[in-house]
């Protein structure tokens, strides 16, 4: 079995997920221009550049300064320092239109968003993303942002905590967890991942199989700290606006809230006829600005999951821009009802 590579500080190097599938469906072309909105350690970006060849270009964006350093190492190591084939920008992918324009890119041939956190972020105890490693309860991807998970654990009311854990963690035991957090913080502040993981475990019981009971609570706090769904919604709009006609948007999601957001966005922009209860059909969604390339999400093979268990929940969806910002997108010419 192929073993994951280790980085210079002994952390597990991030293994790009669904790599061949994403590149094939992005339809990477020689000489094409691409945006990797979540460049991370640069695994996907390097592979895109490999396929796009000497005339290709990738703008890599990440909100995490450490990720950009790793991406620079990967890309400079592979293509040479100072090459004109890539540029890296610190920022939020929801601002990709501006970040691209500032670099003279108006329309690109493809955008990739590989959502969630990287292995380096998860494995770095000091980043506070993991219930398995004791560290400060931080969870910020961008450490220049002020709000941490410890702030939420300290400041939200029991009701707000329960809603957060139920809505963003999709955990049915949210109320018991919120109650335990509020009880614990009345004794002493909850400042570490181990303390939070321990109190959730005591409140709702131990591991079920390989799943730690605090998994969903950590997911909820992380999503709120980083405003992940809000960024995703804005980022999808920005990506579509930045694509050239025929350009493709590929998104890899890791849990149902992300995947549902992507699925709805793509379906709305592709539009569809829906049967009405009273008979006839109605056009649903905005005017078609996209075509679905994947009707069902693409998932990793058994072999990929065996090599990289973190890939197991990945879902890839791809859509193609059908019209540039011509402002003349219209639903099918037969009108809204037939
Ligand atoms: C799963 S990793 C990407 C790994 C990358 N594809 C690779 O091959 O190394 C996700 C990355 O996206 C970044 N990220 C998450 N949300 C972001 C956002 N809204 N804007 C910019 N970067 C974001 C994270 O900091 C993280 O480095």
């Amino acid at each position: 079995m192929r073993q994951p590579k280790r980085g210079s500080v002994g952390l597990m190097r991030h293994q790009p997920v669904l790599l061949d599938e994403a590149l094939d469906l992005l339809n990477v072309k020689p000489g094409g221009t691409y945006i990797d909105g979540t460049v991370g350690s640069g695994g996907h970006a390097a592979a895109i550049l490999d396929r796009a060849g000497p005339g290709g270009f990738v703008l890599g964006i990440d909100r995490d300064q450490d990720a950009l350093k790793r991406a620079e190492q990967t890309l400079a190591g592979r293509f040479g320092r100072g090459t004109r084939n890539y540029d890296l920008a610190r920022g939020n992918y929801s601002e990709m239109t501006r970040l691209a324009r500032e670099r003279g890119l108006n329309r690109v041939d493809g955008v990739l968003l590989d959502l969630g956190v990287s292995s380096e972020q998860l494995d770095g105890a000091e980043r506070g993303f993991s219930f398995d490693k004791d560290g400060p309860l931080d969870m910020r991807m961008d450490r220049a942002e002020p709000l941490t998970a410890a702030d939420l654990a300290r400041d939200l009311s029991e009701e707000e905590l329960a809603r957060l854990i139920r809505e963003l963690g999709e955990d049915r035991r949210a109320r018991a967890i919120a109650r335990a957090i509020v009880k614990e913080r009345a004794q002493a502040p909850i400042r570490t991942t181990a303390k939070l993981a321990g109190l959730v475990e005591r409140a709702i019981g131990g591991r079920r199989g390989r799943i730690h009971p605090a998994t969903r609570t950590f997911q909820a706090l992380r999503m709120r700290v980083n405003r992940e769904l809000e960024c995703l919604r804005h980022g999808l709009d920005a990506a579509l606006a930045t694509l050239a006609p025929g350009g493709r948007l590929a998104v890899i999601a890791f849990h149902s809230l992300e995947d549902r957001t992507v699925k709805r966005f793509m379906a709305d922009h592709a539009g569809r006829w829906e049967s009405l209860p009273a008979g006839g059909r109605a056009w649903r969604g905005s005017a078609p600005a996209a075509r679905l390339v994947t009707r069902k999400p693409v998932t990793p093979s058994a072999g990929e999951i065996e090599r990289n268990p973190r890939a197991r929940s990945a879902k890839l969806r791809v859509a193609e821009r059908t019209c540039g910002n011509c402002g003349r997108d219209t639903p099918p010419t037969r009108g809204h009802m037939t």
Side-chain angles (χ1 to χ4, degrees):
M1 193 176 113
R2 227 190 314 152
Q3 291 299 319
K5 295 185 193 101
R6 286 183 182 275
S8 52
V9 285
L11 296 177
M12 230 33 121
R13 270 260 300 278
H14 186 89
Q15 301 296 300
V17 169
L18 288 168
L19 183 62
D20 291 334
E21 293 86 345
L23 264 63
D24 289 346
L25 289 166
L26 259 182
N27 200 14
V28 175
K29 296 185 288 224
T33 298
Y34 296 88
I35 295 180
D36 182 342
T38 52
V39 73
S41 298
H44 282 105
I48 292 173
L49 269 181
D50 270 338
R51 279 207 195 179
F57 183 85
V58 171
L59 168 61
I61 301 171
D62 207 292
R63 68 205 294 197
D64 181 343
Q65 188 67 43
D66 295 350
L68 287 176
K69 285 182 197 148
R70 288 192 304 274
E72 172 62 23
Q73 263 178 9
T74 304
L75 297 173
R78 188 101 139 241
F79 304 101
R81 205 164 288 284
T83 169
R84 289 163 177 245
N85 295 90
Y86 69 88
D87 196 359
L88 294 171
R90 177 159 182 214
N92 200 305
Y93 63 65
S94 59
E95 294 171 2
M96 75 173 76
T97 315
R98 175 180 62 77
L99 294 168
R101 273 205 197 116
E102 283 170 2
R103 289 159 179 82
L105 305 174
N106 284 321
R107 291 275 174 265
V108 300
D109 300 300
V111 173
L112 173 68
L113 298 177
D114 174 19
L115 304 174
V117 279
S118 64
S119 298
E120 289 85 352
Q121 287 169 329
L122 266 178
D123 291 342
E126 79 291 353
R127 303 299 304 266
F129 285 107
S130 174
F131 40 75
D132 276 338
K133 301 187 168 51
D134 195 15
L137 192 55
D138 189 321
M139 302 196 196
R140 288 170 301 169
M141 291 181 189
D142 175 356
R143 283 188 272 186
E145 292 279 336
L147 185 78
T148 68
D151 296 334
L152 294 176
R154 184 191 60 214
D155 296 337
L156 294 188
S157 67
E158 184 176 325
E159 190 56 45
E160 288 168 331
L161 281 166
R163 193 175 331 123
L164 174 70
I165 297 166
R166 193 172 47 246
E167 288 176 2
L168 293 186
E170 299 184 301
D171 196 326
R172 283 180 289 109
R173 296 150 305 173
R175 185 152 289 285
I177 298 168
R179 203 177 307 126
I181 292 174
V182 169
K183 194 166 158 207
E184 184 82 26
R185 78 187 182 195
Q187 311 299 314
I190 304 164
R191 293 207 187 99
T192 66
T193 52
K195 188 163 183 181
L196 179 64
L199 79 87
V200 174
E201 191 163 355
R202 285 193 298 284
I204 62 169
R207 278 178 193 259
R208 301 218 168 116
R210 292 172 49 190
I211 310 292
H212 190 286
T215 304
R216 289 168 179 272
T217 303
F218 272 64
Q219 173 186 304
L221 289 169
R222 190 199 88 202
M223 289 180 73
R224 170 69 182 275
V225 164
N226 297 291
R227 296 174 290 108
E228 289 179 34
L229 289 182
E230 194 184 319
C231 292
L232 178 57
R233 284 191 283 266
H234 290 302
L236 292 170
D237 282 333
L240 201 57
T242 313
L243 282 173
R248 289 190 175 185
L249 166 63
V251 188
I252 304 173
F254 287 85
H255 56 76
S256 56
L257 291 172
E258 284 173 350
D259 184 55
R260 220 176 293 153
T261 306
V262 176
K263 181 180 170 183
R264 281 202 192 133
F265 174 86
M266 290 184 175
D268 277 354
H269 285 81
R272 66 197 175 282
W273 290 104
E274 258 180 27
S275 301
L276 295 170
R281 300 188 298 165
W283 182 253
R284 291 275 178 254
S286 48
R291 175 181 78 78
L292 298 183
V293 176
T294 52
R295 296 214 159 257
K296 295 251 178 291
V298 175
T299 54
S301 65
E304 176 168 5
I305 296 172
E306 196 192 334
R307 285 193 303 278
N308 179 16
R310 281 179 181 161
R312 67 185 174 277
S313 46
K315 285 186 176 167
L316 166 67
R317 293 184 190 269
V318 181
E320 185 176 290
R321 171 96 210 172
T322 49
C323 174
N325 271 359
C326 57
R328 280 183 279 110
D329 288 312
T330 48
T333 47
R334 277 180 295 169
H336 286 231
M337 293 268 265
T338 56

